[in-house]
Amino acid sequence: MSTAEYALGTVAACAFAAVLFAILTSSEVRDVLTQMVTDALQSGG
């Protein structure tokens, strides 16, 4: 790959990471994940 392709790939990866971070740190997603973990721990025994 050329330098421009590496730069574009890096920018795309950073943008994807930023979107993923925003989704995972939202309160709705955090509440759903917390509820899933709590349910899994309670059903374990």
Side-chain angles (χ1 to χ4, degrees):
M1 275 198 280
S2 69
T3 303
E5 290 171 329
Y6 281 119
L8 185 59
T10 301
V11 169
C14 289
F16 179 72
V19 170
L20 190 59
F21 178 77
I23 290 171
L24 290 177
T25 57
S26 69
S27 61
E28 295 87 6
V29 174
R30 191 178 324 124
D31 292 342
V32 169
L33 291 174
T34 302
Q35 187 62 41
M36 287 173 55
V37 170
T38 304
D39 290 345
L41 290 174
Q42 289 177 351
S43 68

